[in-house]
Each structure stands twice: as C-alpha cells, then as structure tokens.
Amino acid sequence: MEPLASIEIAKHTLLSCGLILAIGTIGGFLAQRIRIPDIAIFLLAGIAIGPHGLTLIDISAASALNQIILLFGASYILFDGGAALRLDVLKQVWITIVVLATVGVLITAVITGLTAYLVFGMPPVLALLLGATISSTDPATLVPIFRQLRIRDRVAQTVMSESAFNDAMAAILTFYVLAFATSSGAFSLGGAIFDLFKQAAVGLLAGIALGYLAALLIAHERWAVLAEYAPVVTLVAVIGAYFAASGLQASGFMAVFVFGIVLGNKEALGFRMEPGEAQKLNEFVLTTAFIMRLFIFMLLGAQLDFSEMVHHWQGGVAVALVLMFVARPITVFLCALPDRRARWTMAELLFMCWSRETGVIPAALAGLLLGSRAPAAHLIASVTFIIIVMTILIQAPTTEWLGRKLGLLEKD
C-alpha cells in the first residue's frame, strides 16, 4: 500500500503544480494587459483556488515542496534582481541603501512595535518582536515589480537593493528580540552588531567569488568552457551561493543577490558573451523568474489562514496603515534625506515611501516563530499576513500610477 500511496501523493502534487502553472500563466497575461504587477494577480488567484476558495490545490506551508519553492524561488528572484542592477548607479546611492537596510529596519520595527503595543495591549517586548518580523521589505515582491515597470534607474535600484540587504538585519533583530523575550533577558548589542557585519561580509564575499567564477566559465575569452551551458551554470551557482553563505552562518539571500550583481555587470569586469548565448541566458532567466514568482505568490495566497486572521483583522489593519503611512515615510526621510551624495528629490523620496511591499521574507519569519512556539506567535503571524495582503494588493498595483504622477517613469 505504501508505494501506491506515494504514487497518489506524487500525482496530486504534479496536478497541483500543473494547475498553478496554467492559472498563473493566464494571470500573468491578464496582468500584462491591464498593466499591473503580476504578483497581485497571483496572490488573488492563489486565494481563489486554495482551501478557502475552490479547493483546487492544498499544499501545506510545512511541506517539503513548499519550502523548496520558497527557498529556491526567493533566491532566484534575488539573483534576477541583482543582475538588473548597474554598478555605476549603485555608486551614487550606496549610503542610502546601507542606512535604510540597517537603521531603517530599527526605525520601522520600533514604530510598528509601538503601534502593536497600543493596539493589542501586548507586552512591549512581544510588540517589538512583531515589529521586527515585518520590518524588512521583500525582494521577492519588489524585484518583479521593478523588472516590469520602467521607474527611474537609481530609485528602482535603491529600493531593490534595500529589499535584498535588509533581510539579514530583520532576521537578526527578530531572533535577538525572541531570545530576549524567552530568556532571562540575555541580549548583547555588540553580539548583534557583530552578527550583522559577519553575515554581510561573508554573504558579499560568497556572492562575489561565485559570480566571478560563473562569469569566467561562461563569458571569458579563453576559459568560457561552459558558455553553451550558461543557464545551468546560473542555476547551480544560485544554489551554491545560497548554501555557501548559509553554511558559514551568513545571509544566503545576500550572497545570491551579490552573485547576480557580479554576473549582471560582467562586461565591466572584462567578460563578454557571444550575442546569441547572452540572449539565450537572458530569456532563460526571465522565464524561470516568472515561474518562481507565480509559484511563490499563488502558494502564499492559497495558504493564508483566514480563520486566524479574522480574529485580529481590525488591529492588523491599523498596524498595516501605520506601517504604510507613518513608519515607512519617517524611515525614508530620516535615512535618505541626509545623503547629500545622492541628492534625492522630493518626488523620489515620496515614491520610495510608497515602495514598501511585504511578502515572502516576513512570512517566512512568522512561520519560524510559529514553528518554535514563540510567545504571541499566532497573533504575530496573523498581523504579518494581513500586512502582506494589504501591501501587495494596495501598493503594488498603484506603483506605476504613482511613478507616472511623480514623473519618475522612464520613456521606452
């Protein structure tokens, strides 16, 4: 009976994946026609076909398949985002990115934590834990948006880079606050800062090393022995960069993002692919990134626990509104306005205030809190998912409209 049961599970999983691909493809086409980011359509489609809708798919958030999709999908989307960045642009805005990804996370966590304390009446340390969980922006959400919209280069690249680099800070802050909440208060500020710099440094080095190696093997004039296999090389290198950094207790997501930056700027390093091979690699990356994001956001929509969310929806909406309209603007103006090197305009600052979608990374942190039976974990997870739904369905579809109103859309 056991082999038969395994075959039935395999058939069910294959059917679910086929449905997700088919419905996601239609959703992507629809999003392109009505000119909104496709992740919003994917999230709604996931809700519609999940256990709380038509019950066409039911893939558990704790299943190995779901974890593989989240892990590899988020990594690949980060790689794709990194490959779209240009070093000459990053040189102008790196100070803003660093401050947003560090100090900005703390500011966001404190403001939203204070709001949660006032709204839910929860202990201050648990309110801060909620704030830390939702303090990072989400690369799996933001990278696809800016790959689809032609927003002014330095603004788009700042927001994408911030979303990649602030994950490590948010994770460190979340787990240190959790340690403080569940122990006798053992918290080391020095230890937290050291961990942050260690994760950043090792992630950067792993990404640079593997990015250079991949460029050497697919684009070097003499050593490009794997040029014909460039798509496979990128897949292996994305996985390798993530696990190399993770094995060294660093940020795997930062490593794959930096790997993407190095590979995407290989011409600046003296590497050049044949035009046909470069086009083949670009088409492969775009297609694979599309498949990854449709899986991630349709599964996320299908797994939303509405029975739990309904208990905290009023407070969750209040926290989400404060995050969107108070915490994010304060964070952007405090962290970006002092950067005289970047010389941000008011239009650019206002646009960055609105570019604050929450998605896979905060959801993963909330899931880890649930799995570890952390105090107030169910409340934190409910509020996190309410914020995910609100930011993706409100902010993502209005990004192009705001960019046009502020004069930040690049002409084709």
Side-chain angles (χ1 to χ4, degrees):
M1 292 294 292
E2 206 169 302
L4 288 175
S6 298
I7 291 173
E8 289 305 314
I9 292 172
K11 286 181 177 179
H12 173 73
T13 303
L14 183 59
L15 177 60
S16 297
C17 291
L19 284 171
I20 291 171
L21 277 172
I23 296 170
T25 302
I26 295 170
F29 172 76
L30 178 62
Q32 189 178 48
R33 295 301 297 267
I34 61 178
R35 297 186 63 80
I36 66 171
D38 53 22
I39 56 171
I41 299 292
F42 296 153
L43 186 70
L44 289 173
I47 294 172
I49 66 176
H52 300 283
L54 300 173
T55 64
L56 296 178
I57 63 169
D58 187 6
I59 297 176
S60 168
S63 68
L65 174 64
N66 186 70
Q67 296 303 315
I68 290 170
I69 290 171
L70 282 182
L71 192 60
F72 178 72
S75 297
Y76 200 85
I77 287 171
L78 268 174
F79 155 71
D80 179 38
L85 304 187
R86 292 294 165 259
L87 291 176
D88 57 337
V89 178
L90 294 180
K91 287 177 184 177
Q92 303 171 16
V93 297
W94 70 268
I95 295 174
T96 295
I97 293 169
V98 170
V99 179
L100 277 173
T102 52
V103 178
V105 169
L106 291 172
I107 294 171
T108 302
V110 169
I111 294 175
T112 52
L114 177 60
T115 304
Y117 168 73
L118 296 173
V119 170
F120 295 109
M122 55 199 305
V125 68
L126 297 182
L128 182 60
L129 181 60
L130 191 158
T133 303
I134 59 176
S135 60
S136 69
T137 55
D138 185 60
T141 307
L142 288 162
V143 168
I145 290 175
F146 289 108
R147 290 284 277 174
Q148 291 177 271
L149 304 180
R150 294 186 58 81
I151 301 296
R152 187 177 297 171
D153 259 359
R154 69 184 202 140
V155 179
Q157 297 194 23
T158 297
V159 174
M160 285 193 289
S161 299
E162 176 204 1
S163 71
F165 292 134
N166 65 14
D167 291 332
M169 180 66 178
I172 291 169
L173 181 62
T174 299
F175 290 118
Y176 268 99
V177 175
L178 178 61
F180 187 85
T182 56
S183 68
S184 57
F187 176 80
S188 168
L189 180 61
I193 294 173
F194 175 77
D195 272 355
L196 175 64
F197 279 105
K198 177 190 170 186
Q199 289 206 27
V202 176
L204 281 167
L205 290 174
I208 290 171
L210 280 167
Y212 190 88
L213 179 61
L216 186 73
L217 293 174
I218 67 175
H220 189 271
E221 184 178 354
R222 183 177 176 185
W223 300 106
V225 293
L226 298 178
E228 294 182 8
Y229 303 96
V232 180
V233 172
T234 60
L235 289 177
V236 173
V238 166
I239 297 171
Y242 180 87
F243 282 104
S246 296
L248 296 169
Q249 304 299 308
S251 172
F253 288 132
M254 185 176 292
V256 295
F257 185 71
V258 173
F259 163 65
I261 293 175
V262 174
L263 197 61
N265 289 273
K266 57 186 178 296
E267 288 82 4
L269 302 175
F271 300 108
R272 189 174 300 278
M273 295 182 71
E274 292 294 328
E277 297 295 340
Q279 183 179 356
K280 183 172 71 174
L281 176 60
N282 186 54
E283 290 173 352
F284 173 83
V285 170
L286 289 176
T287 302
T288 309
F290 171 77
I291 293 171
M292 289 299 103
R293 68 175 179 266
L294 77 83
F295 265 98
I296 285 175
F297 287 98
M298 287 185 69
L299 286 176
L300 183 62
Q303 292 159 2
L304 292 178
D305 188 349
F306 289 96
S307 61
E308 191 68 37
M309 289 166 62
V310 73
H311 296 304
H312 308 292
W313 75 269
Q314 290 179 311
V317 169
V319 174
L321 292 175
V322 170
L323 177 66
M324 292 162 61
F325 294 103
V326 180
R328 178 61 177 178
I330 290 175
T331 298
V332 168
F333 277 92
L334 287 180
C335 295
L337 190 59
D339 185 0
R340 298 304 179 190
R341 180 188 178 92
R343 299 178 182 273
W344 296 108
T345 66
M346 182 58 65
E348 291 171 330
L349 291 170
L350 289 174
F351 184 84
M352 285 192 285
C353 289
W354 192 242
S355 302
R356 204 260 166 266
E357 285 82 348
T358 306
V360 173
I361 306 304
L365 289 174
L368 289 171
L369 293 179
L370 283 171
S372 63
R373 301 183 184 276
H378 285 284
L379 170 59
I380 292 171
S382 297
V383 174
T384 299
F385 285 118
I386 289 169
I387 291 171
I388 288 171
V389 172
M390 288 185 64
T391 55
I392 290 178
L393 296 185
I394 295 174
Q395 291 182 307
T398 55
T399 299
E400 183 179 17
W401 172 84
L402 182 62
R404 184 179 296 107
K405 287 291 184 183
L406 294 173
L408 299 179
L409 286 186
E410 299 280 10
K411 294 180 180 179
D412 293 327

